[in-house]
């Protein structure tokens, strides 16, 4: 009983929990990394099964390697061949008459898997259980026939029953657990997506409303400009106001679009130093107007992402900082490195935020700037950093200032990739 539980535990941990962990983990592994990890962990699982066989009764021992190999084969695809190699190799390492029998068993199992895997993946859960357990069962029968016809073993019917029932039962159990977990994960992902879609459509209505206001205002100004006998000075003022309104509509639409767009469009290696300088050029006139000094302490760290998105995020944050310092202040931009991340800190010594305001930053339409604000800038900033696999944290003290901490995956400098 003990070793049976141990075998089941090996299969659950190495063949089920490890792949599950890979899917749940925040760190995004590359396809090859995933393959490697799953290969290694499945091999460890199968070897452990062989190392700790189950003594059913005197003279008869067996293990769950066929069940393990079936499961790994059905879910792992090509990796089965690697695992079969491991199984056979390891069985030879142990030695004994069973070794050559393992080759026959595993080869037969591989053929069965090759014939049924595609069908298995198309099937519903109930059929998956039937297909998977039939394969494991067939492999077990082959193993038994092997021992009778090749090695002339005489089999006890109790052993045969136990062996078949256990192999079948464990396969059913594991496939069932796997499918249930996956369904759960899938539903979770769909819910998150549905939530976002709802948000996007909810915003679409209000964004068009928001854009209509500036349009109406601009139309009014144009009408006035059209009238004859308007002094030049007034005409210029109306033109300037019209342009401001158009810019405002542009900002609203831009921020909305970054939020609504599903994923980054064009990612490339970005040099954070260059990107900061580019955005500073855009923001400097505004800083000068508010008598804000800009201090930078930046390194040429590299990360990956969409250039326009990152620039928009940086501009949104810097603009907020400058707006929080209406008459003079200091905008400080700094980079540092922590393990495999770069940290970009943008801080101001402006008005700051209360706890309540701080907790609402990033909420759509949350603004304390009345007609001047859109309340979409920080939402877009959070979204952009998220799509770059990073994180954005904000700390603020009223009347002292605010700091934004952007953490992004670091690409090692010195790599020959071209950056912009
Ligand atoms: P908007 O700037 O149009 O108001 P944002 O989404 O950019 O919208 O910002 C939302 C709100 O967060 C701002 O109205 C402001 O109250 C607060 N906020 C953001 N950045 C800062 C900052 N650096 N200092 C103080 N308050 C800030
Ligand atoms: Mg803003």
């Amino acid at each position: 009983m003990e070793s049976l539980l141990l075998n089941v535990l090996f299969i659950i941990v190495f063949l089920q929990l490890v792949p599950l962990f890979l899917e749940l983990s925040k760190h995004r592994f590359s396809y090859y990394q995933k393959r490697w990890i799953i290969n290694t962990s499945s091999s460890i699982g199968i070897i452990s099964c062989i190392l700790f066989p189950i003594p059913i009764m005197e003279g008869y021992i067996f293990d769950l390697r066929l069940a393990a190999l079936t499961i790994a084969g059905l879910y792992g695809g090509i990796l089965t061949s690697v695992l079969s190699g491991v199984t056979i190799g390891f069985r030879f390492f142990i030695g004994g008459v069973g070794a050559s029998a393992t080759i026959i068993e595993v080869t037969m199992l591989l053929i069965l898997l090759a014939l049924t895997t595609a069908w298995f993946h198309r099937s519903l859960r109930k059929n998956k259980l039937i297909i998977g357990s039939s394969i494991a069962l067939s492999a077990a029968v082959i193993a038994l026939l092997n021992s009778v016809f090749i090695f002339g073993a005489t089999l006890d019917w109790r052993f045969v029953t136990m062996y078949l029932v256990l192999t079948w039962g464990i396969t059913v159990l594991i496939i069932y657990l796997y499918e249930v977990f996956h369904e759960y994960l899938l539903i979770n992902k769909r819910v998150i997506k549905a939530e976002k879609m709802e948000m996007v459509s909810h915003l679409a209505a209000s964004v068009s409303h928001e854009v209509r206001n500036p349009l109406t205002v601009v139309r009014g100004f144009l009408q006035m400009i059209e009238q004859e006998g308007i002094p030049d000075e007034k005409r210029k003022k109306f033109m300037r106001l019209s342009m401001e309104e158009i810019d405002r509509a542009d900002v609203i639409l831009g921020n909305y679009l970054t939020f609504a767009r599903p994923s980054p469009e064009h990612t490339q290696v970005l040099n954070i130093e260059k990107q900061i300088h580019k955005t500073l050029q855009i923001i400097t006139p505004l800083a000068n107007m508010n008598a804000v000094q800009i201090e930078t302490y930046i390194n040429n760290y590299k990360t990956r992402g969409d250039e326009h998105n990152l620039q928009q995020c940086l501009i949104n944050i810097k603009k907020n900082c400058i707006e929080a310092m209406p008459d003079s202040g200091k905008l400080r931009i700094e980079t540092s490195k922590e393990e495999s991340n770069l940290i970009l800190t943008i801080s101001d010594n402006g008005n700051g935020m209360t706890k309540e305001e701080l907790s609402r930053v990033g909420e759509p339409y949350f603004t304390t700037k009345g007609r001047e604000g859109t309340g979409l800038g920080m939402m877009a900033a959070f979204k952009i950093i998220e799509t770059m696999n990073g994180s954005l944290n904000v700390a603020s003290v009223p009347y002292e200032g605010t700091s934004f901490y952007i953490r992004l995956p670091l690409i090692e400098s010195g790599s020959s990739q071209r950056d912009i």
Side-chain angles (χ1 to χ4, degrees), residues 316 319-320 323 369 374 377-378:
N316 287 352
K319 188 162 164 283
N320 280 341
E323 284 165 352
K369 298 172 192 167
T374 63
M378 285 310 298

